[in-house]
Amino acid sequence: MRIVYLLRVLFSFVLTLRVCEGLNGRRLKESIRPYRREPLQDLVTWDDHSLFVRGEQLMLFAGEFHPFRLPSPDLWLDVFQKIKALGYTGVSFYVNWELLEGEPGTFRAEGIFDLEPFFEAAATAGIYLIARPGPYINAELSGGGFPGWLQRLPVSLRTNATEYLQATDLYTREIGQIIAKAQITNGGPVILFQPENEYSRDLTTVFPNRYYFSYVEDQYRNAGIVVPFIDNEVTQTALFPPGNGLAAVDLYGFDAYPQRYDCGHPYLWPVNQFPTNYVQRFSQAPTDPHTIPEFQGGAPDGWGGVGYDNCALLTNGDFERVYYKNNFAAAITILNLYMTAGGTNWGHMSHPGGYVSYDYGSAITEERQVFREKYSEAKLLANFMKSTPAYYTATAGNLTNGTVSSTVDISVTPLYSNATTLYVVRHASFSSVASTSYTMNVSTSAGSITIPQLGGSFTLNGRDSKIHVANYDVGGVNMVYSSAEVFTWQKYGDRTVLLLYGGLNETHEAAFPSSLASKLTVQGSGVTTRQIGNSSVFQWNVSQQRKVIHLADLDVYLLWRNDVFNYWSLELAAPAPISNYSSLSKSSVIVRAGYLMRTASVSGSTLHLTGDLNSTTVLEVIGAPPNVTSLTFNGSPVILANGTANLTRLIGTIPYQTAQLSLPDLSTLTWHYHDNLPELSSTYSDSAWTSASLTYTNNTVINNTVVPLRTPTSLYATDYGFSGGSLLYRGHFSSYGNETSLALLTQGGTGFGHSVWLNDIFLGSWPGSSANASWTQNFTLPSNLTAGSPYVFTVAVDHMGHDEDSAYQDDMKNPRGILNYTFADRSQRDITWKITGNLHGEQYVDKTRGPLNEAAWYAERQGWHLPGAEVTGEGWEARSPMQGLDKAGAGFYVTEFELDMPKGYDIPLAFFFANATITEPGTPNIWGGQDLNETEPVSNYRAQIFVNGWQFGEYVNNLGPQHSFPVPQGILNYHGSNTLAVSLWALDAEGAHIDGLKLVAGPTVQWAYPEPRLVDSPGWELREGAY
């Protein structure tokens, strides 16, 4: 793959030696309007309507996907192909600074953090990239992608403070150079670049800081970035559009999440959020194509939430039809949907407002599956846009109610493009669930007419939106109008195929020049035909039965929307440099095939298709080059049905064979147990721990306000280099014999918990909540303390990640750990504190898995979660996490199991936690387990899972909502030995145990995708300095 990639680089370099010619012969570099510099390249240009790539118009319909949330690089191509199959032309991606510079001054981008395979996979799939490396990215990540050590800077972040700017220099230089090599000018897929992120929030007299934003731009230009800069404002106030002074970008855009995030009420659409002013907003940058670099594609969920399936319902197919078509009504030609493939917040990556899953309710699930209806709905929209070049030059008209339509209950926005008009139709009340009948006044080549012409009316059913077309070009044929929506069309020699669709039982009508009707035949029943003037008008009611109108050399398929979900338009490769990238000049094949079609290619007279199956499927090719007479699927010849090996259709059956799975029963495995909190023992020495002896903190500037310490020495975790996961404190004092209480204020972020012991005596816990980021708790001490004797408080705090950073709010600098304490009638200074997090903090041991994979618990500091650790000898015993602990504390459990999964299948695997106190079953979920009905008090415990050394789950029993923790192939060894480690933290005096921990398989898909290789997962070695 890398050889092909390098050849592309060489070819593109040669290509850039000439100036691209634009449409109608104009030089496209003239459409770049430089505002402070000469154009740096001429491969990516634009006018006020759209982007041009190599001189050709492109609608950049993109989806967000983050490589660091799928740490199995061989699966990146899988995601790219699934996004390409949607009809999308691009992907936007973030880069997480914290993972690459967890140790200040040391940049690491090897192994799973290497972006070169990501770029190669994008190029192979034919996906253009929008690079968004920050330095700040938000993204529901710990600190918004900021490394924890930035908390030690005594200045406000995201400003032009010298200390902050210098802190960003290494990262921006290194990541900028990496991305620069992957630009289109070097043969790579990167065509746009976004510096910083949403840098427009909280407008004050001192923000936004143009000097800072300009500094970031210069950092990346100096690193070699030459593609256009794009912006994604939140406030939609056009702070940095072209020509607006210092720090102006090339392409102005803004973000929009109008559905908001109430996944608990997925069918309650928020009032006063529906955007109708986009065109006005875009007028602030009149020379730019209309751009939304982030539009809502799902919604985040948090601790104690309802789960991502509900978030998928909140942003389901109804949402996509209404909201995305409303975007199209504003003539948007650069659109990125956040998220399209969410992934996993493995290794303490999340901010406190999220948990391990980052499924996001996306079109592509966390397990990379495409069964959600919203995936198919998005495919319909993207393919229409790719098939409608008239849209690329369209101008939005005024929205009207009852003017173009026959009723004020229907809103219509026309889009004008030369002869073509697109009418975007929705309910005037955008969230209406009514069924509303209407007629339309449309301007056509046959004049201004009212449709439907053959009687009756159209119907808009509930939360829906449609795009009716007039004077629509179909391969040189003028479709006079159609109320049915266009999925796609393609011309093959002198034959053209057009696919129209509508909702079940809807009435639709389309008209074509009557000259085509000389060879009219209709396949299927229920189509009414009449000639009116020079048009042949067809009306039908949509049913599950397919209808086909044959008009001379035009075949028009009349389909039910849910049936179109099974149709795919697959691009055929073109000569380099276009190759697999989207282009208006390319041809596509149209296939009906079920679950997923990935790629298509033609050699000689054979069409080669690849795809995935979830059942035996009839594969039907309804559009292909004229010379195609035979077919293969996933490399195997397809036996064609009699009489179908002709220029019209190829039909064959693809058998699905059920995979035979054998998964281990985790409850019967041999488990090894070790105390994970030996610090409670009287013989434990913390002499190697870090002394919390700093009498100051540099983390004093928060929201431009100095916040003083409230303790004699700092107990902020990042002051000592600990930035994620669990924290442990040891507080030593000599007793006077009369101490009665300790009050602690701890802060770990939303969902955190803490537990406190005096020596080995359990004092109590805070089990956490979905609302509290900090907690103050009073602990009563035993009454029999001995005067003059030494005692130790042990405090465990769950660090749920740093807050995201609203610009100039410095939320990221909210400290973690112990913020304050009072000790009976004694001075705070009478307690001497020590602290630990992961072994060696920012000089973390495991460079392969990165800076956030490990935390403070004893077993993690020893590296026992890694494969091959010694699990026998002193302190080890046979015990499983299902037996658990009989008192408050922490235990570590490790086992091994073998997998021998059948090849040729995509088999999602997950570790599923059941709840020990649940007595009534819930409803089945996709993992074959139960979605739990938590109607009784639950045991307060937390558990982590490590798979071959990778932290892939944190389960909080009393909060949820996540019970299933998917682990991708490559992290899991599907054909060999695996190490599973579980750490259990019991926060109740009675202890806790895990009930029903299972390894379960999700829906299995048959595929021919290359077998993902194992991710490098170094095993255990005795760790120097472990304590």
Side-chain angles (χ1 to χ4, degrees), residues 101-345:
E101 197 183 352
E103 179 180 357
T106 302
F107 180 90
R108 296 185 176 96
E110 300 84 30
I112 62 164
F113 306 115
D114 181 3
L115 286 176
E116 186 175 350
F118 185 75
F119 299 140
E120 292 174 355
T124 299
I127 288 287
Y128 289 120
L129 295 178
I130 307 171
R132 306 201 297 160
Y136 180 76
I137 60 173
N138 210 61
E140 289 74 58
L141 291 169
S142 177
F146 273 169
W149 49 263
L150 288 182
Q151 286 196 344
R152 297 196 294 273
L153 299 184
V155 296
S156 283
L157 309 179
R158 304 178 76 187
T159 69
N160 65 331
T162 301
E163 296 93 329
Y164 170 69
L165 295 180
Q166 290 176 345
T168 68
D169 283 341
L170 173 63
Y171 168 72
T172 53
R173 181 178 69 249
E174 294 293 329
I175 198 63
Q177 291 173 355
I178 289 171
I179 295 172
K181 294 176 183 177
Q183 294 175 109
I184 188 173
T185 52
N186 292 319
V190 175
I191 62 170
L192 294 176
F193 187 99
Q194 179 188 296
E196 246 282 349
N197 185 74
E198 296 180 335
Y199 194 67
S200 58
R201 197 186 301 272
D202 304 316
L203 301 180
T204 70
T205 57
V206 293
F207 177 83
N209 188 309
R210 287 185 177 274
Y211 297 100
Y212 163 59
F213 201 65
S214 177
Y215 187 88
V216 174
E217 291 179 337
D218 289 342
Q219 284 175 315
Y220 287 123
R221 289 297 187 209
N222 292 337
I225 300 299
V226 297
V227 296
F229 279 161
I230 193 170
D231 187 22
N232 71 327
E233 292 186 358
V234 173
T235 51
Q236 302 179 14
T237 51
L239 296 168
F240 305 110
N244 198 28
L246 185 66
V249 297
D250 299 301
L251 295 168
Y252 164 71
F254 53 77
D255 292 356
Y257 290 80
Q259 188 75 322
R260 312 313 295 161
Y261 317 115
D262 187 5
C263 300
H265 302 90
Y267 300 109
L268 182 63
W269 286 14
V271 297
N272 302 323
Q273 290 289 336
F274 191 74
T276 58
N277 62 347
Y278 282 163
V279 173
Q280 176 186 352
R281 297 297 189 191
F282 291 130
S283 68
Q284 300 172 111
T287 64
D288 285 358
H290 295 179
T291 300
I292 298 186
E294 279 187 42
F295 192 87
Q296 186 164 10
D301 195 36
W303 296 106
V306 295
Y308 278 117
D309 284 343
N310 268 39
C311 297
L313 290 175
L314 179 70
T315 54
N316 62 8
D318 294 349
F319 162 83
E320 291 178 322
R321 286 194 299 274
V322 174
Y323 280 88
Y324 295 175
K325 290 177 185 176
N326 183 66
N327 291 341
F328 302 150
I332 292 168
T333 56
I334 301 177
L335 176 67
N336 174 47
L337 300 178
Y338 189 103
M339 297 288 296
T340 294
T344 302
N345 290 322

Side-chain angles (χ1 to χ4, degrees), residues 4 7-8 11-12 15 18 53-54 56 123 126 128 187 571-587 600-602:
V4 174
L7 288 174
R8 288 195 186 103
F11 189 94
S12 183
L15 184 72
R18 64 178 179 84
V53 176
R54 298 188 181 91
E56 186 176 52
Y128 289 120
E571 297 174 1
L572 297 173
I578 294 175
S579 302
N580 288 329
Y581 297 109
S582 295
S583 166
L584 292 174
S585 64
K586 296 178 71 171
S587 181
S601 62
V602 174

Side-chain angles (χ1 to χ4, degrees), residues 111 194 485 516:
Q194 179 188 296
E485 297 191 84
L516 299 177

Side-chain angles (χ1 to χ4, degrees), residues 454 517 520 522 527-531 536-539 549:
L454 303 188
L520 171 65
V522 177
V527 179
T528 301
T529 305
R530 186 186 305 170
Q531 182 167 328
S536 293
V537 181
F538 301 87
Q539 187 179 98
I549 302 171

Side-chain angles (χ1 to χ4, degrees), residues 742-970:
L742 173 73
L744 282 178
L745 168 59
T746 59
Q747 183 164 273
T750 306
F752 92 107
H754 68 221
S755 293
V756 181
W757 291 262
L758 177 64
N759 291 352
D760 62 352
I761 300 171
F762 177 60
L763 300 182
S765 294
W766 163 243
S769 78
S770 60
N772 297 92
S774 60
W775 192 252
T776 299
Q777 190 169 1
N778 292 304
F779 301 96
T780 300
L781 305 185
S783 59
N784 58 346
L785 300 187
T786 302
S789 294
Y791 289 87
V792 182
F793 290 115
T794 299
V795 182
V797 180
D798 206 358
H799 184 332
M800 311 305 281
H802 294 120
D803 296 327
E804 294 174 299
D805 198 85
S806 299
Y808 210 72
Q809 295 291 325
D810 283 325
D811 300 325
M812 179 268 171
K813 297 179 78 172
N814 289 326
R816 297 293 183 251
I818 298 175
L819 304 191
N820 199 4
Y821 61 93
T822 57
F823 184 27
D825 295 325
R826 297 186 59 174
S827 168
Q828 286 182 316
R829 296 182 182 278
D830 290 342
I831 302 179
T832 301
W833 292 95
K834 290 197 168 187
I835 182 175
T836 192
N838 64 297
L839 184 64
H840 305 324
E842 289 160 3
Q843 288 73 47
Y844 55 97
V845 178
D846 191 344
K847 303 301 190 293
T848 299
R849 298 175 180 88
L852 297 178
N853 193 63
E854 300 175 7
W857 297 111
Y858 183 77
E860 294 171 57
R861 304 197 311 261
Q862 309 305 312
W864 290 342
H865 57 291
L866 302 175
E870 295 181 1
V871 293
T872 58
E874 184 178 359
W876 289 96
E877 61 181 84
R879 190 195 304 182
S880 81
M882 280 62 85
Q883 294 173 279
L885 304 170
D886 59 7
K887 61 182 180 180
F892 178 78
Y893 309 83
V894 63
T895 190
E896 293 183 351
F897 61 89
E898 297 285 325
L899 288 177
D900 185 17
M901 308 303 289
K903 294 185 178 182
Y905 294 89
D906 184 14
I907 307 169
L909 296 179
F911 293 91
F912 182 84
F913 285 81
N915 187 308
T917 64
I918 298 303
T919 57
E920 296 184 8
T923 56
N925 59 36
I926 68 164
W927 296 107
Q930 301 286 317
D931 289 327
L932 305 174
N933 296 324
E934 299 185 12
T935 58
E936 301 179 9
V938 298
S939 174
N940 294 307
Y941 73 83
R942 296 168 180 244
Q944 293 184 97
I945 58 171
F946 293 87
V947 180
N948 295 325
W950 301 82
Q951 198 266 29
F952 251 84
E954 180 172 5
Y955 174 63
V956 181
N957 188 58
N958 56 300
L959 291 182
Q962 188 173 3
H963 291 269
S964 296
F965 296 85
V967 181
Q969 186 174 1

Side-chain angles (χ1 to χ4, degrees), residues 609-622:
L609 299 174
T610 67
D612 299 0
L613 304 175
N614 61 1
S615 63
T616 294
T617 299
V618 174
L619 191 156
E620 178 183 9
V621 179
I622 64 171

